[in-house]
Amino acid sequence: MECKYSNSENIIKKGKNKKGVQRFYFYCKDCHSYFLEKYEKNRYPNDLKKIAIRLYTDGVEIAVINRSLEIPYETVRSWIRVEGERAIKKIEARKKGR
Ligand SMILES: [Zn+2]
């Protein structure tokens, strides 16, 4: 198991969040990222992903999305990196078309 952002193996497994809810994720001591195990990557419903991206394209900060939807910051960021950029390009293309 290595960090999916820095490929570092200097990671620790965390099992519970502050509320004591069971959640398995990892913390990278090198780049200070949190990420989920591979098989848990798709445990969030697609709708939640859409909502997160929608919020972001509406101008909501990632930190706010992360707190309000209780999705790890790095997960939100990785969704936005892929889907959000595509969405932003679409919005910009639409604006130009007018
Ligand atoms: Zn890392």
Side-chain angles (χ1 to χ4, degrees), residues 33 35-36 43 55 60 62 65 86 90:
S33 300
F35 56 97
L36 296 166
R43 65 192 276 268
L55 287 171
V60 179
I62 297 174
I65 299 168
R86 213 178 290 160
K90 230 182 267 176

Side-chain angles (χ1 to χ4, degrees), residues 65-94:
I65 299 168
N66 147 250
R67 275 201 305 271
S68 49
L69 299 180
E70 290 192 356
I71 305 166
Y73 188 93
E74 288 300 329
T75 305
V76 179
R77 209 173 70 173
S78 66
W79 289 349
I80 286 161
R81 207 179 290 150
V82 182
E83 301 287 337
E85 280 175 12
R86 213 178 290 160
I88 288 165
K89 271 177 198 158
K90 230 182 267 176
I91 291 163
E92 282 172 357
R94 223 180 293 154

Side-chain angles (χ1 to χ4, degrees), residues 1-5 8-15 23-29 31-40 72 74-75:
M1 191 69 195
E2 42 182 54
C3 171
K4 59 182 197 179
Y5 301 102
S8 164
E9 286 185 0
N10 192 13
I11 55 171
I12 50 168
K13 188 173 187 173
K14 296 203 172 204
R23 248 175 216 175
F24 292 104
Y25 59 94
F26 293 89
Y27 173 71
C28 174
K29 289 179 178 176
C31 69
H32 309 288
S33 300
Y34 290 89
F35 56 97
L36 296 166
E37 284 178 86
K38 273 179 188 161
Y39 61 83
E40 291 202 331
E74 288 300 329
T75 305

